[in-house]
Amino acid sequence: MCLLLKKTLYGLKRLPKHWFNKAVSILKAVGIHRIPNSPCLCIGNIIEDEPPLILGLYVDDCVYYSQSLEVEKEFERRLNNEIQGKITFMGNIQHFLGIKFTTKCDGHNKLSIFMSQTSFIETIADAFNISPIRLALTPYQSGLPVDKIPEGAPPYDPENILTI
């Protein structure tokens, strides 16, 4: 199966489209459907009266999320049953399509997800021989007009300065 899949994805022109259609049909079987205006994004209610599962699909990689861990586990179980165990679940997301994901939980069940393309930007900078990137601070204060800082504005705070 693995050799056939490599030939399918990397050896022939139209087969990635067929692979995508196959992946979409498998997702439909487990209760996930494509979002009409974003063909690589899918959503579905895996368990009734629970939050939906949102899935991003790009060729043979996917990333998914739900506010309910139970929904995620049920999705994994259904998907594993549908394709007879020929899938690898790699745990929490760290990198996807050149984007680095960092998660932070504040202890009150509030999860924050931060996305960054720093490594991608550094790769591009290296390719064009403009490394190392020097960071420059900007005097912009969030929430204020760019052209002037009004009288009575809060004092300069280096913690609130954006980095380019």
Side-chain angles (χ1 to χ4, degrees):
M1 177 70 176
C2 184
L3 292 175
L4 179 63
L5 180 61
K6 281 187 176 183
K7 179 68 173 175
T8 300
L9 287 177
Y10 304 109
L12 303 171
K13 283 185 179 182
R14 298 238 346 119
L15 277 256
K17 173 71 173 155
H18 295 296
W19 165 249
F20 183 79
N21 290 340
K22 177 68 173 171
V24 168
S25 69
I26 290 170
L27 290 173
K28 279 184 185 177
V30 298
I32 304 289
H33 60 277
R34 289 183 4 189
I35 296 173
N37 295 332
S38 297
C40 293
L41 290 177
C42 306
I43 191 166
N45 289 318
I46 303 296
I47 302 174
E48 198 169 315
D49 298 327
E50 289 284 334
L53 183 120
I54 300 167
L55 180 137
L57 177 65
Y58 184 77
V59 187
D60 59 347
D61 292 324
C62 75
V63 60
Y64 56 92
Y65 170 78
S66 176
Q67 292 177 337
S68 167
L69 185 59
E70 185 179 331
V71 169
E72 289 182 3
K73 294 296 179 193
E74 178 62 18
F75 169 72
E76 290 173 4
R77 186 191 67 74
R78 287 185 189 182
L79 187 60
N80 213 16
N81 288 343
E82 186 67 28
I83 58 174
Q84 297 144 2
K86 297 176 184 174
I87 193 166
T88 304
F89 296 101
M90 300 173 67
N92 291 337
I93 186 170
Q94 294 177 355
H95 285 89
F96 187 70
L97 302 178
I99 300 171
K100 179 182 178 187
F101 289 79
T102 307
T103 57
K104 180 179 171 185
C105 189
D106 71 355
H108 300 289
N109 290 334
K110 183 178 179 187
L111 178 68
S112 298
I113 301 173
F114 302 92
M115 299 183 296
S116 167
Q117 286 190 298
T118 305
S119 62
F120 176 71
I121 292 168
E122 289 171 353
T123 302
I124 297 294
D126 288 341
F128 289 99
N129 202 22
I130 55 173
S131 273
I133 297 174
R134 290 174 292 193
L135 298 177
L137 297 178
T138 64
Y140 175 72
Q141 289 182 318
S142 180
L144 298 176
V146 176
D147 57 347
K148 67 178 183 175
I149 297 176
E151 289 183 18
Y156 167 77
D157 182 5
E159 293 296 317
N160 289 331
I161 292 182
L162 300 176
T163 305
I164 297 178

